[in-house]
Amino acid sequence: MISISFVTVTVLLLHLVSHSPTLAFPQYGSLAGLSAREWNELIPRLNQVDPPNPPEPLKYNGTKLVHDSAHPFEAPEPGDIRGPCPGLNTLANHGYLPHNGVASPSQIVNAVQEGFNMEHGTAVFLTHAAHLVDGNLVTDLLSIGEKTSKTGPDPPAPAIVGGLNTHAVFEGDVSMTRGDFFFGDNHSFNQTLFDQFVDYSSRYGGGFYNYTVAAELRFQRIQQSIATNPQFSFIAPRYFTAYAESVFPVNFFVDGRSTEKKLDMEAAALFFRDGKYPTDFHRAAQPSGTEGVDMVFMVHPIAPGGNQDDKVNNYVLDPTSADFDTFCLLYTNFVNQTIRGLYPNPTGVLRRNLIKNLGFFYSGIADAGCEELFPYGKL
């Protein structure tokens, strides 16, 4: 049986690193791609931010009205950025995050705690992991969707700060309401997939989405991608985050006053399609994370793997991928391969901010038993 505490931390590598053995990034580079000359030319044009410590846990962590008069729904305007995460889209549409969809890690940690009552360690770990690979580490800004100059001046090509839309970094295959990247759009609401979400909720949940539905729909989406996506990959960390994604709607989108862990379809449509709180919505009754993941996984367990040779229905197990017993391997690979690959020889402000963000990242899992790594030394 999977340990709840283990799953709670493993899942937080939510869409962090790519699928390849070298953890390379297929779409975007980063500030690490700059030559020394280019970096020296760029730095004076950036708003250099010394990243603050993450916000503290909520002083009051019970349920409360979050769709209140101070946080009305405001649809995104032209130029505002939204991305693959319906939770972050909702927080931006209700003013818990900047409406333009560009935020600092501190703003995101505050928002997911305040708006959904996400557990503090989960919020810190997830946010700084995403920021390390997708954000501008000098300006301390992250796009919740597409690449944008709003995070600061673009570094010279080919290095780009990609935002959360970047495939196989924040988002991954087999989303419940977003299509696989292979089919062209990995971040927009997909009505066909949502119709399937509703159908499975009707068949297995009596018209509600719950952990039972989550188990069946998660397995169905995996089988669909095996059968239709020749580039389907289901290895760590996406292997873990896909299961976490399955329980997040139950843990965060159900009104905190409810005594039953089930999501009705009207509320589901508002969150997934519109990025909008239901009327009079109250956040979760207690700090929450990945409760229910073990339940979902054990119904249809499947080992990490992916389609090989660019062929559908050619799912091959990958024995090198981390599984639910090797979280520390995920952490080690993320730091030593992904981050070191993006930033091989940082200096000055970039090195300082890398060291700080890696420390914040680790603080979210400090009790998981993993040895903290210091690839760039200590301050």
Side-chain angles (χ1 to χ4, degrees), residues 266-278:
E266 181 179 354
L270 289 173
F271 280 114
F272 283 110
R273 182 190 63 212
D274 302 329
K276 183 178 183 179
Y277 284 132

Side-chain angles (χ1 to χ4, degrees), residues 57-93:
L58 296 174
K59 291 183 178 180
Y60 172 71
N61 61 10
T63 190
K64 73 170 189 176
L65 178 68
V66 289
H67 190 179
D68 55 17
S69 60
H71 299 92
F73 174 79
E74 294 184 21
E77 299 176 356
D80 289 335
I81 294 169
R82 300 295 181 265
C85 177
L88 293 181
N89 293 343
T90 298
L91 293 171
N93 289 339

Side-chain angles (χ1 to χ4, degrees), residues 47-369:
N47 177 28
Q48 301 176 33
V49 174
D50 187 354
N53 290 333
E56 295 295 317
L58 296 174
K59 291 183 178 180
Y60 172 71
N61 61 10
T63 190
K64 73 170 189 176
L65 178 68
V66 289
H67 190 179
D68 55 17
S69 60
H71 299 92
F73 174 79
E74 294 184 21
E77 299 176 356
D80 289 335
I81 294 169
R82 300 295 181 265
C85 177
L88 293 181
N89 293 343
T90 298
L91 293 171
N93 289 339
H94 283 274
Y96 286 96
L97 287 174
H99 201 259
N100 68 356
V102 174
S104 71
S106 291
Q107 288 174 316
I108 295 173
V109 171
N110 272 327
V112 295
Q113 288 191 107
E114 190 66 33
F116 287 115
N117 210 359
M118 181 177 282
E119 186 271 327
H120 178 260
T122 302
V124 170
F125 184 77
L126 168 59
T127 298
H128 285 279
H131 184 53
L132 278 161
V133 293
D134 284 336
N136 189 319
L137 297 175
V138 176
T139 63
D140 205 39
L141 292 173
L142 172 68
S143 164
I144 67 171
E146 64 192 29
K147 182 188 81 68
T148 175
S149 61
K150 294 174 184 177
T151 58
D154 281 350
I160 302 171
V161 175
L164 298 187
N165 282 3
T166 307
H167 178 55
V169 180
F170 186 84
E171 68 79 40
D173 290 336
V174 295
S175 167
M176 295 185 296
T177 64
R178 269 67 176 170
D180 288 2
F181 175 77
F182 175 79
F183 300 110
D185 185 348
N186 62 345
H187 55 275
S188 301
F189 174 78
N190 185 306
Q191 184 64 54
T192 300
L193 289 177
F194 185 72
D195 289 345
Q196 180 173 252
F197 181 98
V198 174
D199 175 51
Y200 269 63
S201 297
S202 176
R203 284 203 265 167
Y204 296 101
F208 295 88
Y209 183 83
N210 56 26
Y211 295 145
T212 300
V213 178
E216 299 302 329
L217 183 57
R218 170 49 53 221
F219 185 66
Q220 167 69 1
R221 289 293 293 120
I222 293 169
Q223 297 307 308
Q224 286 177 321
S225 286
I226 290 173
T228 62
N229 180 355
Q231 297 176 8
F232 173 51
S233 178
F234 197 53
I235 61 175
R238 182 55 181 163
Y239 180 75
F240 298 94
T241 62
Y243 289 103
E245 176 188 287
S246 297
V247 301
F248 278 177
V250 180
N251 297 341
F252 295 118
F253 294 169
V254 175
D255 192 289
R257 297 167 296 178
S258 174
T259 59
E260 298 183 279
K261 301 290 282 186
K262 59 183 187 179
L263 178 67
D264 69 77
M265 293 303 96
E266 181 179 354
L270 289 173
F271 280 114
F272 283 110
R273 182 190 63 212
D274 302 329
K276 183 178 183 179
Y277 284 132
T279 301
D280 197 39
F281 184 77
H282 287 57
R283 72 187 185 194
Q286 58 199 20
S288 302
T290 58
E291 296 80 6
V293 164
D294 60 337
M295 206 180 306
V296 171
F297 175 78
M298 293 305 295
V299 174
H300 298 291
I302 183 171
N307 279 339
Q308 299 297 307
D309 303 324
D310 209 30
K311 296 178 181 178
V312 299
N313 293 315
N314 192 30
Y315 190 83
V316 178
L317 302 185
D318 185 348
T320 69
S321 172
D323 58 25
F324 280 108
D325 294 323
T326 54
F327 169 69
C328 289
L329 176 62
L330 286 176
Y331 167 70
T332 299
N333 286 346
F334 178 73
V335 174
N336 284 342
Q337 297 182 37
T338 303
I339 302 304
R340 287 294 297 272
L342 283 172
Y343 300 99
N345 297 296
T347 59
V349 172
L350 179 58
R351 175 179 174 271
R352 180 199 68 189
N353 289 6
L354 274 164
I355 291 172
K356 285 197 166 188
N357 277 285
L358 282 169
F360 301 153
F361 169 67
Y362 179 79
S363 72
I365 57 157
D367 61 352

